[in-house]
């Protein structure tokens, strides 16, 4: 598509031309929406009629917040060469910005349509927190999209996410610092949250130096389903290499404490108007028994000469944290998913994700099944450590799989089919889609289950 310089000048706050050799054929636009969010659009001259609206992941308050329209340069270049239009916004604010992200993404789509015309097909896609935004768009604005692709998404929704983030730090405080008074929720501001995180982090660091402490850290990790191989830089442990698994989990637990469980929680609380999380009535003994990491915990406790039963009893007796009902209502109204889909959605996730554990997919499967969306919904898994660590070919394979469903009316999400598509997109990389069924999410919460309404 082409656009005249006069139109660029009149309509855009920023317009960046492509190199001279491409300027006559392709269009790259950058600008600002009325909300203040930045947007970016790349439209090839040979536009194939499909527009992909990309929702980016979580950016903490104070971090750079550029507009993004793809997960990475390799996917962008491949898709543009194939004629796809790529668009996306920054969202007007950082942090738990769902109330800005959804309207800003829709406004970006509106602006695209105004400038380039109605798309033949409109797909929403996104990664991490952006996978959550994508699913919100698909559920609440289904008429705007033909299908959606959520990658490594926070598809357990807001209430479940913050509840499950509370569980490991509650266990750590109870078992490692029972008389410390470290606050875990209901922060007065960012400074208090950061200080609390540092205080608990110091206790965890000291605990990691003893067998007893390592066993207790493994217990906390199990309550959040943090895998024993969660970063490509880590040594990959064998099936019964409990020590290496625990060391890898410790790194992830420290990351959880450093940002999501305290700093990011406080930012979300500031939007919700209070604490949206609780653990009243939670049976941690039962939760651990359901965890895929149960065996590791029991073995490490045995090696440390520590009584798991005693520690679980301590968790059972510890004073619990109650939610603020107005904050729960805000989170429920803005950030909880229903599972109701009107168009096909594919979710993909890595098996070794510590930030958004793969069990999030079980939470959304629960919602989609209850809402009657099962025929429209499929999930696929990449056997890899880390968060959103898909190879470009694996990302493109997921997109091709969604398009195949739209073209034919049939899903073909077998690992073999996905790996074939990934190899076609990137012959140099070995694809890693595998058969996989994640364990149940520890504390699901969705709009399809009336019993989830009460803390």
């Amino acid at each position: 598509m082409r656009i005249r310089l006069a139109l660029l000048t009149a309509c855009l706050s920023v317009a960046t031309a492509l190199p001279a050799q491409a300027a006559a054929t392709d269009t790259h636009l950058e600008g600002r929406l009325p909300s203040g969010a930045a947007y970016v659009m790349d439209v090839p001259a040979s536009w194939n009629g499909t527009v992909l609206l990309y929702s980016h992941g979580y950016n903490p308050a104070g971090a750079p917040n550029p507009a993004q329209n793809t997960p990475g340069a390799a996917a962008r270049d491949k898709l543009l060469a194939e004629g796809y239009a790529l668009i996306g916004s920054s969202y007007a604010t950082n942090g738990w910005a769902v109330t800005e992200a959804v309207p800003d993404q829709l406004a970006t789509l509106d602006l695209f349509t105004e400038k380039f015309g109605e798309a033949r097909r409109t797909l929403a896609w996104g990664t991490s927190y952006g996978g959550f935004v994508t699913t919100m768009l698909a559920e609440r604005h289904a008429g705007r999209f033909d299908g959606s692709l959520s990658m490594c998404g926070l598809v357990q929704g807001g209430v479940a996410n913050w509840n499950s983030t509370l569980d490991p730090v509650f266990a750590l405080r109870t078992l490692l610092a029972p008389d410390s008074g470290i606050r875990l929720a209901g922060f007065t501001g960012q400074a208090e949250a950061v200080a609390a995180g540092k205080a608990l982090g110091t206790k965890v660091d000291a605990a990691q130096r003893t067998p007893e402490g390592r066993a207790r850290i493994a217990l906390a990790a199990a309550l959040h389903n943090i895998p024993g191989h969660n970063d490509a830089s880590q040594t990959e442990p064998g099936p019964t290499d409990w020590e290496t698994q625990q060391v890898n989990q410790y790194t992830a637990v420290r990351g959880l404490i450093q940002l999501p469980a305290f700093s990011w929680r406080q930012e979300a609380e500031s939007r919700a108007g209070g604490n949206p999380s609780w653990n009243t009535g939670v049976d941690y003994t039962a939760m651990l028994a359901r965890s895929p990491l149960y065996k590791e915990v029991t073995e490490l406790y045995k090696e440390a000469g520590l009584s798991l039963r005693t520690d679980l009893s301590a968790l059972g007796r510890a004073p619990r944290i109650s939610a603020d009902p107005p904050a729960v209502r805000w989170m429920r109204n803005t950030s909880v998913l229903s599972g109701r889909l009107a168009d096909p959605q594919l979710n993909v996730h890595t098996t070794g994700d510590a930030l958004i554990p793969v069990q999030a997919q079980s939470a959304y499967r629960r919602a989609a099944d209850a809402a009657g969306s099962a025929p429209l919904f499929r999930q696929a898994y990449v056997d890899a450590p880390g968060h959103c660590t898909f190879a470009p070919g694996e990302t493109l394979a997921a997109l091709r799989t969604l398009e195949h469903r739209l073209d034919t009316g049939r899903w073909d999400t077998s690992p073999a089919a996905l790996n074939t598509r990934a190899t076609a997109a990137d012959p140099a990389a070995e694809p890693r889609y595998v058969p996989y069924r994640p364990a149940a999410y520890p504390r699901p919460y969705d709009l399809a289950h009336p019993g989830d309404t009460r803390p």
Side-chain angles (χ1 to χ4, degrees):
M1 300 292 289
R2 299 183 182 182
I3 196 162
R4 293 178 300 174
L5 180 60
L7 183 60
L8 286 172
T9 304
C11 296
L12 304 175
S13 61
V14 179
T16 304
L18 289 173
Q21 65 269 25
T25 57
D26 301 321
T27 302
H28 175 84
L29 306 181
E30 297 181 18
R32 293 278 172 185
L33 299 170
S35 68
Y39 66 81
V40 60
M41 302 182 184
D42 285 297
V43 186
S46 56
W47 178 32
N48 64 15
T50 296
V51 59
L52 306 178
L53 176 66
Y54 177 71
S55 297
H56 68 74
Y58 186 94
N59 284 328
N65 190 28
Q68 300 175 51
N69 62 1
T70 57
R76 179 196 64 212
D77 293 347
K78 180 79 169 177
L79 291 168
L80 288 176
E82 295 178 1
Y84 293 86
L86 309 175
I87 66 175
S89 79
S90 64
Y91 322 148
T93 63
N94 284 4
W96 194 264
V98 65
T99 52
E100 290 82 23
V102 169
D104 285 340
Q105 290 293 79
L106 294 173
T108 301
L109 182 57
D110 289 338
L111 186 60
F112 172 85
T113 303
E114 175 188 323
K115 295 184 179 302
F116 297 99
E118 194 75 32
R120 176 181 58 83
R121 176 177 285 173
T122 301
L123 304 179
W125 66 324
T127 51
S128 191
Y129 182 81
F132 164 62
V133 174
T134 292
T135 305
M136 291 290 290
L137 289 166
E139 288 190 356
R140 301 191 179 190
H141 302 276
R144 304 295 303 275
F145 303 97
D146 298 291
S148 54
L149 170 61
S150 172
M151 298 178 287
C152 49
L154 194 145
V155 291
Q156 69 270 44
V159 170
N161 172 71
W162 294 114
N163 275 343
S164 291
T165 304
L166 176 64
D167 293 328
V169 294
F170 177 82
L172 291 168
R173 185 187 69 176
T174 300
L175 300 177
L176 303 181
D179 301 318
S180 65
I182 296 172
R183 183 175 288 275
L184 303 181
F187 301 108
T188 58
Q190 187 66 197
E192 182 183 37
V194 171
K198 288 181 178 178
L200 186 60
T202 298
K203 297 292 186 180
V204 170
D205 290 342
Q208 183 64 16
R209 294 192 285 269
T210 69
E212 297 83 2
R214 291 192 289 272
R216 286 166 169 155
I217 293 168
L219 168 57
L223 298 179
H224 197 56
N225 287 322
I226 292 175
H229 186 216
N230 55 74
D231 190 285
S233 66
Q234 295 173 339
T235 299
E236 182 174 3
T240 60
D241 184 355
W242 315 121
E243 289 77 14
T244 302
Q245 288 187 33
Q246 193 279 332
V247 169
N248 293 345
Q249 290 165 331
Y250 161 69
T251 301
V253 167
R254 286 298 277 116
L256 181 75
I257 293 169
Q258 185 176 1
L259 290 173
F262 290 91
S263 177
W264 296 0
R265 171 184 289 282
Q266 187 278 326
E267 194 278 337
E269 288 183 348
S270 71
R271 292 174 180 269
N275 170 33
S277 304
W278 68 91
N279 66 351
T280 49
V282 173
D283 184 343
Y284 286 112
T285 299
M287 186 184 293
L288 176 63
R290 294 190 299 267
S291 172
L293 300 166
Y294 175 78
K295 179 65 172 176
E296 174 201 348
V297 174
T298 59
E299 290 299 320
L300 288 175
Y301 265 77
K302 189 184 304 181
E303 291 175 11
L306 198 60
S307 170
L308 179 58
R309 179 179 297 181
T310 298
D311 276 1
L312 289 171
S313 295
L315 290 179
R317 294 191 307 271
R320 299 307 175 95
I321 294 169
S322 299
D324 297 323
V328 177
R329 286 195 296 271
W330 182 92
M331 194 66 71
R332 180 178 174 84
N333 291 338
T334 65
S335 311
V336 174
L337 296 166
S338 69
R340 291 189 294 273
L341 296 168
D343 300 298
Q345 180 175 103
L346 174 63
N347 283 14
V348 298
H349 218 107
T350 51
T351 58
D353 193 336
L355 184 61
I356 302 176
V358 67
Q359 288 77 19
Q361 294 299 329
S362 296
Y364 196 70
R365 167 59 69 186
R366 171 183 183 259
D369 286 350
S373 299
L376 292 169
F377 181 59
R378 290 294 185 273
Q379 295 163 306
Y381 301 95
V382 170
D383 185 21
H387 179 56
C388 301
T389 52
F390 309 111
E394 292 161 349
T395 295
L396 294 170
L399 181 60
R400 303 281 189 261
T401 298
L402 174 62
E403 290 182 304
H404 179 269
R405 169 62 175 79
L406 294 171
D407 291 340
T408 67
R410 300 186 306 274
W411 283 111
D412 185 3
T413 55
S414 68
L418 282 155
N419 286 331
T420 296
R421 294 182 182 119
T423 299
D426 184 5
E430 184 71 25
R432 301 168 294 174
Y433 281 99
V434 294
Y436 188 80
R437 185 180 181 87
Y441 193 78
R443 288 212 274 157
Y445 187 105
D446 61 63
L447 299 179
H449 289 83
D452 291 348
T453 58
R454 295 181 301 275

